[in-house]
């Protein structure tokens, strides 16, 4: 049970402990939207994953059931005892609950691990609290991962996540500029996600839906396209050695290496030459991945 934003190594420790704790199907209980979005709706986007990416990652880790509890005034107002009784016992019939040792729940975060253990003893479920994990004195945390991504260090983020940081979602129609320049791209929105450093990346691409389901390599621009005026940030991905229509399909884009910052060029020819250089550099980097 938890928010599992990013599904990093600390989250994996909780999932592994849950798998060992009881002879029962492995289920994940999480919340959508993230409670922080509910309590601070005007705060800058902070999520590392949308719900689709989180569900895909949890499935890869062996979760047999995923329960996304709709977080709003009703859930936020439950006392710890009401949450345990109405959600965990009456709603899900849990045999055992595994959380991180800093887990809090219930109205105004008034419940902690000790209270959860007491409630489990009363209501008939076991509780395991997993110590925080880290490396070289640094805890694995979503905050540290956000910092690494914001600074253009996706490989450092990967070490904390245990997997490449991925942006997942539907391919939407763009302005077709990439196609006009000879470098067609698949466009994806970045709604409500923490923005990694804006710029150009070497990426791995999984096409998750449609008849063209495949894995390939590519180069991506994450940003506001300064050559073409002020725009909302988005992700434009060119898939190497691929030809086809991806509109409406869902992609998973793994950020592997940061290549350069966004830039404005003197001409379209200069931009095209830079794109060619970016693609060559990305191919060399990804040859070893």
């Amino acid at each position: 049970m938890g928010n599992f934003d990013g599904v990093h190594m600390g989250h994996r420790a909780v999932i592994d402990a849950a798998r060992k704790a009881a002879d029962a199907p492995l289920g994940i209980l999480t919340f959508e939207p993230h409670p922080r979005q509910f309590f601070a709706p005007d705060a800058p986007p902070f999520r590392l994953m949308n719900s689709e990416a989180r569900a895909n990652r949890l499935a890869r880790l062996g979760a047999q059931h995923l329960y996304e509890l709709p977080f709003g005034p009703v859930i936020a107002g439950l006392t710890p005892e009401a949450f345990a009784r109405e959600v965990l016992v009456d709603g899900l019939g849990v045999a055992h609950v595994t959380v991180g040792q800093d887990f809090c729940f219930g109205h105004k975060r008034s419940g902690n691990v000790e209270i959860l253990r007491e409630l489990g003893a009363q209501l008939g479920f076991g509780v395991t609290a997993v110590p925080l994990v880290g490396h070289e004195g640094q805890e694995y945390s979503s905050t540290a991962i956000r910092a690494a991504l914001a600074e253009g260090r996706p490989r450092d983020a990967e070490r904390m996540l245990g997997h490449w940081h991925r942006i997942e979602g539907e391919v939407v129609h763009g302005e077709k500029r990439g196609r006009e320049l000879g470098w067609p791209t698949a466009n994806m929105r970045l709604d409500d996600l923490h923005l990694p450093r804006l710029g150009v990346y070497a990426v791995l691409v999984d096409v998750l839906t449609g008849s063209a389901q495949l894995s390939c390599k590519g180069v991506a621009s994450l940003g506001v396209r300064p050559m073409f005026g002020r725009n909302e940030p988005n992700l434009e991905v060119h898939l190497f050695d691929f030809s086809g229509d991806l509109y409406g399909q869902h992609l998973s884009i793994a950020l592997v290496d940061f290549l350069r910052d966004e830039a404005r060029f003197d001409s379209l020819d200069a931009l095209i030459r830079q794109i060619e250089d970016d693609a060559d550099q990305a191919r060399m980097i990804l040859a070893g991945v």
Side-chain angles (χ1 to χ4, degrees), residues 196-279:
R197 181 174 176 178
L198 300 186
V200 178
Y201 289 82
V203 298
L204 299 174
V205 183
D206 290 332
V207 182
L208 302 176
T209 59
S211 59
Q213 293 183 38
L214 52 85
S215 297
C216 57
K217 299 172 181 179
V219 63
S221 174
L222 193 159
V224 296
R225 296 160 290 184
M227 278 288 289
F228 303 100
R230 187 181 182 92
N231 295 282
E232 289 295 317
N234 80 331
L235 182 64
E236 296 182 272
V237 186
H238 175 76
L239 284 65
F240 295 150
D241 309 314
F242 174 83
S243 177
D245 183 355
L246 291 173
Y247 292 120
Q249 303 307 328
H250 285 242
L251 304 187
S252 176
I253 311 299
L255 305 185
V256 175
D257 255 337
F258 180 81
L259 303 183
R260 64 173 177 85
D261 289 312
E262 283 195 299
R264 183 184 294 274
F265 296 89
D266 295 333
S267 66
L268 289 180
D269 286 341
L271 172 60
I272 292 170
R273 287 194 297 271
Q274 182 62 61
I275 294 173
E276 292 170 347
D277 290 344
D278 295 337

Side-chain angles (χ1 to χ4, degrees), residues 18-35:
R19 188 180 285 110
K20 299 172 184 176
D23 184 17
L26 175 61
I28 304 293
L29 174 61
T30 188
F31 306 93
E32 189 61 35
H34 192 295

